[in-house]
Amino acid sequence: MTQEDVRKILAKNIKNRRKELGITQIKLAELADISEPYMNDIERCQTWVSDKTLAKLAWALNLDLNELFINNEEQNGNFDKEKDLYNLFQKHKKELKNTIDKSFEVLLRDVIK
C-alpha cells in the first residue's frame, strides 16, 4: 500500500462519513475548524492533512482516528473489519503511531492552553 493509497482511503472515508451524517463540506469544515477550500482538497485527495487536522476531522465526524484509515472496499468481500484494520496497522504501524502520538500531543497542548 502506497502513501497515495492511504490518502485515497482517508479521503473516501471522510466523504462517506460526511454523507452518512447528512452534512455538507462547508458544515464539516466549520465543525473541524478548517477552511472550505482545504476541506474540498482533502475530499478530492489533492492534499495530505496534518495530525492536528486529522484529530479535528475525526472529532467532527464522531469517529475514532483509526477509523479514518480503514479500507472499507476490502470489507465488501469476506474480509473481517478487525483483521483488515490489524493488517493495515501492521503494514503502517510506525507511521500511524507517529501520527496518533502527534495528534494527542497537539490536543493536549490545546487543552492546556
Side-chain angles (χ1 to χ4, degrees):
M1 184 176 284
T2 67
Q3 199 173 34
E4 185 175 333
D5 293 334
V6 174
R7 198 168 60 214
K8 285 178 182 177
I9 291 167
L10 174 66
K12 187 171 187 171
N13 287 343
I14 290 170
K15 184 176 184 176
N16 289 344
R17 178 62 175 169
R18 177 180 61 76
K19 288 184 174 191
E20 263 180 33
L21 296 173
I23 59 175
T24 64
Q25 278 187 354
I26 295 168
K27 183 63 177 175
L28 180 54
E30 180 184 310
L31 290 170
D33 192 32
I34 61 176
S35 73
E36 294 168 28
Y38 187 38
M39 185 69 251
N40 185 271
D41 285 347
I42 293 168
E43 280 196 12
R44 288 184 306 118
C45 204
Q46 299 297 309
T47 188
W48 188 242
V49 295
S50 70
D51 52 340
K52 187 174 183 176
T53 302
L54 281 171
K56 287 178 177 183
L57 286 166
W59 178 85
L61 294 167
N62 196 26
L63 293 173
D64 290 330
L65 192 59
N66 64 327
E67 291 178 284
L68 293 175
F69 296 98
I70 296 172
N71 188 352
N72 292 316
E73 285 185 4
E74 288 183 359
Q75 294 173 27
N76 290 336
N78 295 323
F79 290 89
D80 176 41
K81 185 176 181 178
E82 290 179 18
K83 183 178 178 183
D84 185 45
L85 179 59
Y86 176 80
N87 289 336
L88 180 64
F89 179 77
Q90 289 303 315
K91 287 180 185 177
H92 301 285
K93 66 183 172 184
K94 187 174 182 180
E95 295 170 49
L96 289 171
K97 182 184 180 309
N98 289 339
T99 299
I100 291 168
D101 288 346
K102 288 177 186 177
S103 296
F104 283 120
E105 287 174 19
V106 169
L107 289 172
L108 285 175
R109 275 186 266 149
D110 288 349
V111 169
I112 293 172
K113 286 183 182 178

